[in-house]
Amino acid sequence: MEPRVLLDTWLDTAPLRPSTRIEYQREVTRWLTWCETQHPPINPYQCGIEDIAAWAGTLLTDVLDGRPFDGPDALAHVAEHHRAAALTHDRRITAITQYYEACKDRGAIRLAPDLTMLRSGVDRDATPPRRLTPDERSVLLYCIGMWGPDRARHYRRDRLIAFLLLEGLRPAEVSRVDIRHLYPLPDGRYHVRAPDYEYEALGPQHVLEPLTVAALIEYLPHRIKPADGVHNLITVQGGGPLDSGYPNLIVRQIVALHPLLAQRTPPVTADTIAHTGYWDTPQG
């Protein structure tokens, strides 16, 4: 089976979240395109780990700070100084790993490559954060409503961040939402696509819930004027983009308003909220 056909066949039947399916489609397609453009072209079914490493290195150029992508030391550098890029890289390697497992299962290759050495090793939780219960989510909405001018100067921005997390956007995606890709709908709602690490609006489409829309409309007149070339929806003092760690910081402050969330084990994080969603069975 031709590599791209196998990719489509696998993703059509794989039990993956829609956002994961889109991410895997994007990353594996990048890999296959890179193989086709080499001289001579590389057969994806007959490649080695060194080929995958060479491809992955082309996507890390901006965060290698001038050093070559030549082994564990380079990955350690990325993990230490560019954590978000390291996590994106590791997800990319996961996508390629899963693709080759699918290739093996369908008989296209005999063994799937072991790509362990291509992971950055940046720490992350072994399991996804436990979702809030319906009661906990109700208390969270109450706490977001309590977050006003007596709590923070930019409380409108903080509220919007919390509601975007409930839409299913991950913390780094919230920080990268591009105002140019925020589209109004005829019924007064908006839709937005979750951007990837390169700020491409290729992720899943989110039709924003009424609470998020209300927070967005309240926030926009008070949005800090962005610096030249900055198109992030969420801006900070000086007009720069929001740091990807800020959503977690503000979530910790908001949930501290109520003991049910403040004393929760495991603690409530931005990822917890993104995995919870507005409803019991959130989309994506």
Side-chain angles (χ1 to χ4, degrees):
M1 187 182 298
E2 196 270 337
R4 291 178 185 267
V5 175
L6 193 151
L7 171 62
D8 292 338
T9 302
W10 165 51
L11 292 178
D12 285 344
T13 57
L16 299 171
R17 295 173 60 192
S19 58
T20 302
R21 185 176 293 110
I22 290 171
E23 185 174 6
Y24 283 11
Q25 177 87 50
R26 179 178 66 244
E27 299 301 348
V28 177
T29 298
R30 281 176 171 171
W31 158 241
L32 297 177
T33 300
W34 184 85
C35 289
E36 293 165 356
T37 56
Q38 299 312 293
H39 301 288
I42 293 172
N43 183 341
Y45 293 155
Q46 298 176 359
C47 69
I49 186 174
E50 67 278 4
D51 297 311
I52 298 172
W55 164 71
T58 66
L59 300 172
L60 292 174
T61 301
D62 291 343
V63 292
L64 286 169
D65 302 321
R67 66 184 301 153
F69 185 61
D70 56 1
D73 288 345
L75 285 170
H77 173 84
V78 175
E80 180 180 357
H81 299 285
H82 305 279
R83 188 175 188 275
L87 288 171
T88 297
H89 167 79
D90 285 354
R91 288 194 296 270
R92 184 173 295 132
I93 296 303
T94 296
I96 301 302
T97 298
Q98 294 302 313
Y99 171 67
Y100 278 111
E101 287 292 340
C103 292
K104 182 189 70 174
D105 292 343
R106 287 161 175 76
I109 59 176
R110 189 172 64 87
L111 293 173
D114 181 0
L115 304 183
T116 304
M117 292 299 294
L118 292 184
R119 295 186 179 277
S120 71
V122 69
D123 291 337
R124 62 182 305 164
D125 292 337
T127 58
R130 181 165 61 85
R131 289 176 175 176
L132 300 179
T133 66
D135 285 347
E136 290 171 338
R137 182 175 49 220
S138 296
V139 172
L140 173 66
L141 292 171
Y142 171 74
C143 291
I144 296 172
M146 288 177 62
W147 195 258
D150 58 326
R151 305 285 181 182
R153 179 181 178 184
H154 298 290
Y155 68 94
R156 299 177 183 89
R157 179 182 68 193
D158 298 340
R159 285 177 179 171
L160 178 58
I161 289 170
F163 286 130
L164 287 171
L165 290 169
L166 277 169
E167 295 285 353
L169 290 165
R170 303 296 290 275
E173 292 173 334
V174 170
S175 71
R176 295 195 298 265
V177 169
D178 191 319
I179 197 167
R180 298 171 299 179
H181 297 298
L182 188 68
Y183 305 103
L185 299 175
D187 61 2
R189 295 184 298 171
Y190 286 79
H191 84 239
V192 65
R193 288 192 179 276
D196 64 8
Y197 184 71
E198 289 79 16
Y199 287 81
E200 298 175 14
L202 298 176
Q205 174 180 300
H206 297 263
V207 177
L208 302 183
E209 294 285 342
L211 281 174
T212 310
V213 173
L216 173 67
I217 292 172
E218 185 180 13
Y219 162 75
L220 285 175
H222 301 276
R223 175 178 178 245
I224 295 173
K225 182 180 178 180
D228 290 345
V230 173
H231 302 290
N232 302 64
L233 171 64
I234 311 292
T235 51
V236 298
Q237 205 64 37
L242 183 76
D243 182 88
S244 61
Y246 183 80
N248 207 47
L249 174 66
I250 196 60
V251 161
R252 288 201 299 267
Q253 296 180 23
I254 290 175
V255 302
L257 297 177
H258 195 286
L260 180 67
L261 300 181
Q263 300 170 14
R264 181 182 186 265
T265 302
V268 181
T269 66
D271 269 335
T272 305
I273 297 174
H275 278 78
T276 297
Y278 271 102
W279 314 111
D280 292 336
T281 54
Q283 292 294 318

